[in-house]
Amino acid sequence: MFFQETETLTGKVIRDTLKDEKGRILVVLNIAYPACAEKKTLHGRLLPGITKSKKKTPLQQNLEPFYERAATEFATFARKELLDKAKANPNGTPPCGAVLRWKMTEESEESLTICMEGKIFDGRESYAIPPDVRRWNKRTGLLSEEKTAKTSS
């Protein structure tokens, strides 16, 4: 058979710009998080527009809701906390913002490693969000017991 199925990582995005009644931008959000897509391939190449719909794999069942929930919770936090700070900032200050993204850093036949990076700007100072690295078992769809965080030098 020419087709071989493989699970590939895709992305979803939450982008939002909150403004006051005068149209001044108060908060900008940009959150990118991973999802799985079951695609058909031919000799290792993705074929555009051909998606196989079937029961979700264990990785899809666990990874997608995990990151979607984390992204939604972060967006809710940022909208509330940063909007309050932005409203308290005097006119003319830059808007508050939050950027958060997860990216695949390593993949093997057995596992998938995803790292989170992000920053928050409160109108005055920028704060890095501590990186978070998670390793997923592709067969079981479960997180491995080890949780590591990258350290910056």
Side-chain angles (χ1 to χ4, degrees):
M1 183 168 207
F2 291 107
F3 290 108
Q4 169 189 345
E5 294 171 27
T6 184
E7 210 159 46
T8 59
L9 201 61
T10 63
K12 294 186 177 182
V13 177
I14 297 173
R15 285 196 177 106
D16 200 0
T17 302
L18 306 176
K19 299 178 181 181
D20 65 10
E21 57 281 344
K22 295 176 184 172
R24 180 175 69 113
I25 296 173
L26 299 175
V27 179
V28 178
L29 299 177
N30 190 348
I31 303 167
Y33 61 97
C36 294
E38 192 80 19
K39 298 279 186 181
K40 286 186 177 179
T41 63
L42 175 61
H43 304 295
R45 286 197 217 158
L46 287 176
L47 298 176
I50 300 178
T51 303
K52 184 174 181 181
S53 61
K54 67 173 192 173
K55 184 179 172 187
K56 288 188 173 192
T57 66
L59 187 61
Q60 287 172 311
Q61 290 174 350
N62 294 318
L63 181 140
E64 289 179 7
F66 179 87
Y67 289 112
E68 186 168 12
R69 184 173 50 251
T72 301
E73 287 174 1
F74 180 76
T76 301
F77 155 79
R79 284 182 185 113
K80 167 135 183 39
E81 297 298 319
L82 293 178
L83 186 58
D84 290 346
K85 286 186 181 276
K87 286 179 178 178
N89 283 342
N91 284 337
T93 59
C96 295
V99 176
L100 190 64
R101 70 179 178 151
W102 286 267
K103 63 181 181 179
M104 181 176 60
T105 57
E106 187 178 319
E107 183 177 21
S108 69
E109 285 187 31
E110 299 84 31
S111 68
L112 178 66
T113 304
I114 298 176
C115 177
M116 177 207 65
E117 303 171 332
K119 285 191 175 190
I120 296 174
F121 179 68
D122 69 2
R124 292 188 177 100
E125 294 185 47
S126 182
Y127 304 94
I129 298 169
D132 182 71
V133 179
R134 308 259 178 169
R135 180 167 290 140
W136 292 85
N137 181 306
K138 290 169 90 174
R139 185 180 54 77
T140 65
L142 299 175
L143 282 169
S144 71
E145 290 297 317
E146 63 189 71
K147 179 183 159 201
T148 59
K150 282 184 178 176
T151 56
S152 54
S153 28

